[in-house]
Amino acid sequence: MKLTIHHLYADMMNLYGDRGNVISIKKRCEWRGIPVEVVDVGLGERVHPTGCDIFLFGGGQDREQALLADDLSGSKGADLRAIAEDGGVVLGVCGGYQLMGHSYETPEGERLPGVGIFDLYTEPRKPEEARLIGNVLIQTTLGGRARELVGFENHGGRTYLGETEPLGEVVVGYGNNGKDGTEGARRNNAYGTYLHGSLLPKNPWFTDHLILSALRHLDETFELEPLDDEAEETAFRSVAGRISGRRQG
Ligand code: GLN
């Protein structure tokens, strides 16, 4: 049983260290002796699911997003939509997240078509509006447990959800649009978020949630052995405490 990490547009969509998400998944598999492979999926290349996969789509500037929108508009986008609908594990961050919705409109008024995994759309900030930048703390419930995620956001786009559920509720920060208190999106095992950082090294529980979801796509009885996350959890508490002003126990 080998887990394949499909890194979408690795060289173009890697803002604020999103590549760390690939490294975090890879290391947490290797530390458990789980065979893992990273496959870069660039422009013009199709995705080839193996049955045990995680698809990662990082953040990027408007220029890169415009280049990708065309690449996603044909069979590649249809493949990703089918993978998500079949319960495949997908994580989109910021610019990648925006292109997992119906459309992303740039500040210049260009409406880029998205893949349509999530029922959402993204509008540009108004000239008088600032970019949404800063540390973020959200609350979410995954696998029946209430959890928190920390990260860093820097986006001009304002995302509005339709029927799609949010990934979580904003505790500190802006989230999808700085107005409705939602952050990110989720549908089956597909997740979108504005949290860079990169996200997964700062939130090891979420990394393991994605790994377990991918492995259980092959064997629904699979269990992950726990790792010693003392250092990671200390770092999380420190960041979450600093962001929220909470005392650190
Ligand atoms: N270009 C998009 C925006 O500004 C996404 C930016 C990003 O990926 N950090 O909203």
Side-chain angles (χ1 to χ4, degrees):
M1 183 187 285
K2 178 175 77 174
L3 190 150
T4 301
I5 303 168
H6 304 258
H7 193 184
L8 300 174
Y9 310 109
D11 55 348
M12 296 170 73
M13 299 295 276
N14 176 36
L15 268 189
Y16 311 118
D18 289 337
R19 186 181 299 275
N21 293 330
V22 176
I23 297 168
S24 185
I25 294 169
K26 186 167 182 286
K27 293 309 289 180
R28 294 185 73 80
C29 285
E30 289 172 347
W31 290 338
R32 293 177 167 107
I34 298 169
V36 56
E37 179 186 7
V38 181
V39 173
D40 287 352
V41 183
L43 283 173
E45 295 175 339
R46 295 194 65 168
V47 290
H48 298 287
T50 67
C52 184
D53 308 283
I54 295 178
F55 296 84
L56 294 180
F57 195 171
Q61 307 287 1
D62 293 355
R63 184 171 55 84
E64 283 84 5
Q65 288 175 283
L67 289 172
L68 306 185
D70 184 52
D71 190 56
L72 287 169
S73 60
S75 52
K76 190 170 194 169
D79 290 346
L80 288 168
R81 204 164 35 250
I83 286 163
E85 284 162 5
D86 181 46
V89 181
V90 186
L91 173 65
V93 177
C94 203
Y97 163 41
Q98 293 169 336
L99 289 175
M100 288 170 71
H102 297 306
S103 63
Y104 168 62
E105 185 177 344
T106 70
E108 294 69 38
E110 186 183 9
R111 186 183 297 272
L112 305 178
V115 175
I117 289 174
F118 298 129
D119 178 17
L120 60 84
Y121 64 92
T122 302
E123 294 178 339
R125 66 188 177 97
K126 296 181 177 60
E128 68 277 12
E129 290 179 326
R131 289 181 66 83
L132 303 179
I133 299 175
N135 287 309
V136 189
L137 175 66
I138 73 166
Q139 275 181 334
T140 183
T141 301
L142 277 181
R145 283 184 64 183
R147 309 296 299 251
E148 289 181 325
L149 289 167
V150 291
F152 172 81
E153 64 185 325
N154 180 339
H155 53 105
R158 270 70 170 161
T159 294
Y160 296 93
L161 304 181
E163 291 303 308
T164 293
E165 279 186 74
L167 172 58
E169 300 298 323
V170 174
V171 176
V172 177
Y174 299 102
N176 281 326
N177 49 55
K179 299 185 186 109
D180 64 14
T182 67
E183 203 297 309
R186 63 175 155 179
R187 175 184 172 206
N188 297 337
N189 289 314
Y191 303 90
T193 180
Y194 273 113
L195 273 61
H196 290 284
S198 42
L199 173 69
L200 297 184
K202 288 187 174 179
N203 302 280
W205 73 265
F206 189 51
T207 311
D208 285 352
H209 178 80
L210 298 177
I211 293 169
L212 185 59
S213 300
L215 293 167
R216 282 188 175 168
H217 207 235
L218 268 189
D219 170 2
E220 60 188 24
T221 67
F222 195 92
E223 293 294 341
L224 273 186
E225 64 175 274
L227 294 173
D228 174 4
D229 285 334
E230 186 180 347
E232 290 87 346
E233 286 165 7
T234 302
F236 172 89
R237 285 195 300 273
S238 168
V239 173
R242 185 154 41 84
I243 292 175
S244 63
R246 278 191 308 231
R247 280 182 51 76
Q248 287 311 297

